[in-house]
C-alpha cells in the first residue's frame, strides 16, 4: 500500500514537472530549430505563437551579432568588441505564414498597402510612429556596454552601425528624413514579412500597432483562410 502511494505521488510529480517545462526556453529553442533548421545565435525568445500555442510565429532577437557565421564575419569590424549589426528585432519564423505572405507579395499586395497608407495621413503618421517605436525599442534592448561601444567609437563602420541601431525602423527603413521635414515621401515598407512579425509580436502592447502588419493580417485571412494565424 505504501509503495503504491509512493508510486502514485511520483507519477504526479513527473507529470507536473513535464507540464511546467512545456513552455520553457528549451522547448522554444527546439520549436524554432524545427522551423528554421537551426537556432539563431542572437535568439532571445519566441515573441508570438499560433493559436494552438505550440508553433512560434515570430521570435525576438538581439540587435547585434546575428545572422549566419559568414555574414557576421563579413560585417564585423576587426579588433572591435561590437560585431555585425542585426536590425531585425522581430523575425518571422513560421514557414506556412511566411509562404502565404510571399504569395501576397507576388500578388502585388506590397504596392497595394503602400498606396492605401500613402492616401491616408492618419495611417502614414501611424507608420512613422511605428518606425520610431521600433528604433527606440531596438536601441533600448542593447546592453549598456554595447550602447557605450557604439556611441564612443569614431570608426566609420561602428558609426554606421550606431545610425542603423538608432535611426532605422522596421526592415531597416530610414524614416529620419520624413520626421525631420526634409522629405515628404512616406517611409518605404520594404518587407511585409518584417512588418507582420512586428505586428503579431507587439499588437497588444504598443500605442501605435504596426498598420502594415494589420493590413497583412487582414489580407491573410481573406486570401489564405487555410493558414492558422
Amino acid at each position: 500500500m505504501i509503495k503504491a502511494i509512493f508510486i502514485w505521488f511520483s507519477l504526479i510529480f513527473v507529470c507536473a514537472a513535464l507540464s511546467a517545462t512545456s513552455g520553457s526556453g528549451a522547448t522554444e529553442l527546439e520549436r524554432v530549430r524545427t522551423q528554421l533548421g537551426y537556432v539563431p545565435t542572437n535568439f532571445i525568445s519566441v515573441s508570438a505563437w499560433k493559436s494552438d500555442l505550440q508553433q512560434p510565429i515570430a521570435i525576438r532577437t538581439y540587435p547585434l551579432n546575428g545572422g549566419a557565421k559568414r555574414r557576421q564575419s563579413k560585417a564585423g569590424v576587426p579588433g572591435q568588441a561590437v560585431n555585425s549589426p542585426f536590425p531585425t528585432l522581430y523575425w518571422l519564423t513560421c514557414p506556412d505564414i511566411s509562404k502565404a505572405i510571399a504569395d501576397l507579395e507576388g500578388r502585388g499586395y506590397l504596392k497595394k498597402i503602400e498606396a492605401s497608407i500613402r492616401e491616408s495621413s492618419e495611417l502614414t503618421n501611424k507608420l512613422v510612429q511605428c518606425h520610431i517605436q521600433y528604433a527606440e525599442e531596438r536601441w533600448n534592448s542593447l546592453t549598456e556596454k554595447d550602447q557605450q561601444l557604439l556611441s564612443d567609437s569614431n570608426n566609420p563602420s561602428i558609426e554606421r552601425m550606431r545610425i542603423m541601431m538608432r535611426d532605422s525602423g522596421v526592415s531597416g527603413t530610414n524614416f529620419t528624413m520624413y520626421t525631420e521635414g526634409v522629405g515628404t515621401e512616406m517611409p518605404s515598407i520594404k518587407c511585409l514579412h518584417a512588418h507582420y512579425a512586428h505586428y503579431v509580436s507587439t499588437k497588444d502592447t504598443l500605442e501605435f500597432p504596426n498598420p502594415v502588419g494589420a493590413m497583412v493580417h487582414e489580407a491573410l485571412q481573406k486570401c489564405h483562410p487555410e493558414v492558422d494565424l
Side-chain angles (χ1 to χ4, degrees):
M1 180 68 179
I2 295 176
K3 184 178 180 180
I5 293 174
F6 175 77
I7 293 173
W8 183 71
F9 274 108
S10 296
L11 288 172
I12 292 177
F13 176 80
V14 170
C15 291
L18 290 172
S19 176
T21 58
S22 62
S24 68
T27 302
E28 287 190 355
L29 290 174
E30 289 310 310
R31 288 173 179 169
V32 170
R33 191 190 306 278
T34 297
Q35 291 182 325
L36 299 178
Y38 68 101
V39 176
T41 56
N42 60 339
F43 171 84
I44 294 178
S45 64
V46 172
S47 56
W49 295 87
K50 282 195 170 190
S51 59
D52 61 5
L53 301 180
Q54 298 298 312
Q55 300 180 66
I57 296 177
I59 61 174
R60 177 166 175 152
T61 59
Y62 191 71
L64 294 171
N65 310 330
K69 291 292 183 183
R70 181 179 177 185
R71 176 186 179 278
Q72 292 183 40
S73 176
K74 183 178 179 181
V77 181
Q80 294 286 341
V82 175
N83 292 314
S84 58
F86 194 85
T88 303
L89 200 60
Y90 296 100
W91 179 353
L92 191 68
T93 61
C94 179
D96 56 343
I97 294 180
S98 294
K99 183 178 179 181
I101 292 178
D103 176 70
L104 293 180
E105 289 180 336
R107 297 188 190 192
Y109 267 85
L110 194 152
K111 294 296 183 184
K112 292 178 182 178
I113 292 174
E114 277 187 338
S116 297
I117 291 181
R118 190 178 291 113
E119 292 168 0
S120 168
S121 58
E122 180 182 358
L123 287 176
T124 298
N125 289 330
K126 284 183 177 180
L127 179 57
V128 171
Q129 291 302 317
C130 175
H131 283 308
I132 292 172
Q133 290 174 156
Y134 197 97
E136 289 178 347
E137 183 179 5
R138 182 198 297 118
W139 180 258
N140 291 334
S141 72
L142 292 170
T143 65
E144 185 176 343
K145 178 182 178 181
D146 282 342
Q147 288 181 355
Q148 199 70 35
L149 288 167
L150 287 171
S151 299
D152 292 346
S153 176
N154 292 322
N155 183 300
S157 295
I158 297 295
E159 289 180 356
R160 286 194 292 271
M161 284 191 197
R162 180 173 66 248
I163 292 171
M164 185 184 296
M165 292 294 105
R166 299 189 72 164
D167 299 325
S168 70
V170 183
S171 198
T173 297
N174 186 339
F175 57 87
T176 55
M177 289 184 64
Y178 186 92
T179 57
E180 293 170 0
V182 178
T184 57
E185 284 295 317
M186 176 195 76
S188 62
I189 291 176
K190 291 189 177 182
C191 176
L192 296 185
H193 293 79
H195 282 273
Y196 190 69
H198 181 227
Y199 169 74
V200 294
S201 299
T202 61
K203 59 186 174 68
D204 296 325
T205 60
L206 288 185
E207 180 181 0
F208 300 100
N210 191 312
V212 175
M215 296 172 79
V216 171
H217 191 76
E218 292 179 2
L220 286 172
Q221 290 176 316
K222 175 184 177 181
C223 300
H224 290 280
E226 78 283 359
V227 175
D228 176 22
L229 303 176

